[in-house]
Amino acid sequence: MLKPALFILVCLFCALIVHAQSEPQKSPPFGTASVAPGVHEPGKPPTEQAPPPPIPETSAQGTGETKPQIEKNPPAIDPKDMDTSVKPQDDFFMYADGGWIKRTEIPPEYSRWGSFNELIEKNNDALHEIAEKAAKSHADPKTAPETQKVGDYYGSGMDENTIEAMRTKPLDDELKRIDAMKDRNDVLKEIAHLHTLGVGAFFGFGSGQDDKNSTMVISNCVQGGLGMPDRDYYTKTDDASKKLRDQYVDHVAKMLTLLGEPANTASDHAKKILALETSLAQASRTRVELRDPQKNYNKMPQTDLQALTPDWNWADYFKEINLIEPGDINVHQPDFFKAANATFANTPIDDWKTYLRWHLINAAASELSKDFVNENFNFNDATLRGTKQIKPRWKRVVISTDEAIGEALGKLYVADHFPPEAKARALELINNLKEALSDRIKTLEWMDEPTKQEALKKLAAFGVKIGYPDKWRDYSLLKIDRGPFILNAMRAENFEVNRDLKKIGKPVDRTEWGMTPPTVNAYYNPTMNEIVFPAGILQPPFFNAKADDAVNYGGIGAVIGHEMTHGFDDQGRQYDGTGNLRDWWSPESAAKFKERSQAIATQYSEYEPLPGMHINGELTQGENIADIGGVKLAYAALQKALDKNPGAREKKIDGFTPEQRFFLSFATIWKSKQRDEDLKLRLNTDPHSPARYRVDGPLSNLFEFAKAFNIPDNSPMVRPADKRVNIW
Ligand SMILES: [Zn+2]
């Protein structure tokens, strides 16, 4: 199922984001969607010398599983991953990772492949073992509740015979409800009902912290309702976009055919769906516009919301989702709702039936029979991302379990795979990074004293979460059994939606997590003013208890610095230490910040990962600021650690100084290859830059890097002094 939108603004360290077209970014595990970075030099042909080996034919339901090749226990910095024919001053990404890039093929089931994915594979194997074991303990009455849920969810997902035999039968009641709609009131009620199942039809609704009173949770309405990854896919007029829309219409038609519609009817319906979604896309804000938290804050009483949409009755909607006291509502994009009202009123009932059938089946596809699974893969993975082969069933079911009941699975995972020492060492690193940022703020040349005092207050108030939640989610009211897989998935969605809605009108629960423990990722949440590091990322190559400080500061240290910097990027800086959207900057300091962040946007906009396609410097601004700040702060923290450790500074390993190993470790976490289709999708939608630029972009601004490798000025990896930017 598609996850309901989370109404928190999280910033992800790694490049994973599948949040649809609505602005609140949900926090999907890196593994569910995809992937990473480009291996094309700006304006140059691909760096691979030889043509890639032939790839097996695209096969959705791949029979023989080929395990991605991952080296067991490689050295923390592996000299054979490097390409010493490239000089560090020309392209550090290729120097540090070129050996790996040359010898590595992207596994057919991935659209990109790199350090993140290798670790995700390792975690998937661990979760696989846990789920298999849990499934076998089915009959044991002493089984712990979370083990039962994990075992039965996984077991139902692995029961291919039943899934094939049932096809869409478990959805019969839902399809009948849609068919029975008679008027617009019914349409609204059905949209509301589908929302309670996590189906993102027409618009989004859910709970979220009040940006200007961050201790409280309120109602939120957001733009939504699309089937493609972004509004731009509907509005762009270039040939490639037109072709993609044709492919989308074909895909929707095929899915409707699988539901039993004759081909001609399905094709006609698919065109109507595209038209309806296009009207919503045209009324939607762009991703760059969605980066402005002030613009997305429009708290209003229910009567004002009702005035925006005179043609539907919100009281009916709230009744259907069982929300008794919606309270004041933050309508993130009022113009969207005005336009949606016209769409609502002008669309014939039969077209609504088609649209809602499509969104139901689109959300359910991956838990249904092979024909749906394959067609879903063909468009969303093969066409949009260039993936060659579907993941084996066990892996898809493990990922689905993590999405559905991630804290039950996560509880079992951390018991076996997260040593307490990892938490203590991570905390120590975080404290050292905090100290580095505090030192930096105190000595900033561009920020005035009163603003510095506020910034330091905010830093001191940072919350830190490491590994897993102190309080586990209580799933006791969620029924998971060995019945149809899709019904388990729908009940889990419904459980999450209800849990989300119940928070409205209440004080915020500060113990909640936005990611599951096995996730290879991290985030900063501005309304909580907290940084969060799941157990999944606290492993090599990010974090290695056996390695020297240089490796750990260049890896997890840079991740920690990145997340901390998000508290002070173009979005995060607009929130104060208590998580409120409040301007604490003097006008002079704010102007200087904007001048610097604009220079970063300009730098990244110059990069051209694919011919004719540049990085969107505005969209990626926050992540680029965090990348530059993160590595700079981690470097400063490493210097302190070296000072405390006599002899460490002089110690070379494989001929590299600690400083050099720090930058090599930083590049190691970004080693990756990516299919062109995936790169293109991400250049349109991902607020993170492709991997190559997450290495070369920040380092070309850092004199510390140039010094470590004795790089002369006027080298490609050294930006001219007047263009170099360091904010934090
Ligand atoms: Zn980030």
Side-chain angles (χ1 to χ4, degrees), residues 648-684:
R649 199 176 280 286
E650 288 73 39
K651 195 176 163 200
K652 286 189 177 181
I653 299 177
D654 294 332
F656 294 110
T657 65
E659 283 83 358
Q660 289 171 334
R661 282 172 65 75
F662 169 88
F663 289 113
L664 286 166
S665 175
F666 176 66
T668 295
I669 65 175
W670 290 116
K671 75 177 187 199
S672 59
K673 294 180 78 159
Q674 183 172 26
R675 300 186 197 282
D676 282 355
E677 292 89 340
D678 190 67
L679 178 55
K680 199 171 164 190
L681 176 94
R682 286 175 181 283
L683 286 169
N684 282 321

Side-chain angles (χ1 to χ4, degrees), residues 251-259 358 361-362 365 372 375-376:
H251 163 62
V252 175
K254 275 182 200 148
M255 293 284 271
L256 295 175
T257 319
L258 293 177
L259 266 185
W358 154 241
I361 212 73
N362 187 33
F372 287 95
E375 180 50 36
N376 187 50

Side-chain angles (χ1 to χ4, degrees), residues 537-645:
I537 199 170
L538 297 172
Q539 303 179 72
F542 298 90
F543 177 68
N544 185 342
K546 294 192 193 95
D548 51 312
D549 276 340
V551 164
N552 282 313
Y553 281 92
I556 197 72
V559 177
I560 295 165
H562 172 103
E563 299 306 341
M564 289 188 350
T565 307
H566 272 317
F568 302 93
D569 73 11
D570 60 318
Q571 292 179 304
R573 76 171 191 87
Q574 301 184 55
Y575 295 79
D576 67 16
T578 62
N580 281 326
L581 187 56
R582 175 180 72 83
D583 189 1
W584 47 269
W585 292 62
S586 72
E588 298 74 30
S589 291
K592 285 179 179 163
F593 175 91
K594 281 182 193 156
E595 195 185 303
R596 281 162 175 74
S597 59
Q598 188 49 52
I600 291 177
T602 305
Q603 176 191 343
Y604 282 78
S605 295
E606 285 166 9
Y607 296 135
E608 190 181 356
L610 283 171
M613 277 195 88
H614 287 253
I615 291 178
N616 181 338
E618 302 288 331
L619 176 64
T620 57
Q621 190 176 148
E623 295 299 334
N624 298 331
I625 292 171
D627 281 343
I628 299 171
V631 66
K632 193 175 169 76
L633 294 171
Y635 182 91
L638 170 68
Q639 290 305 311
K640 286 198 169 192
L642 291 174
D643 285 343
K644 286 180 199 156
N645 195 350

Side-chain angles (χ1 to χ4, degrees), residues 10-15 25 521-524 559 562-563 566 569 622-624 626-627 687-688 694:
V10 296
C11 301
L12 306 170
F13 176 66
C14 67
Q25 300 176 0
N521 211 330
Y523 67 90
Y524 170 75
V559 177
H562 172 103
E563 299 306 341
H566 272 317
D569 73 11
E623 295 299 334
N624 298 331
D627 281 343
H688 306 81
R694 298 190 74 168

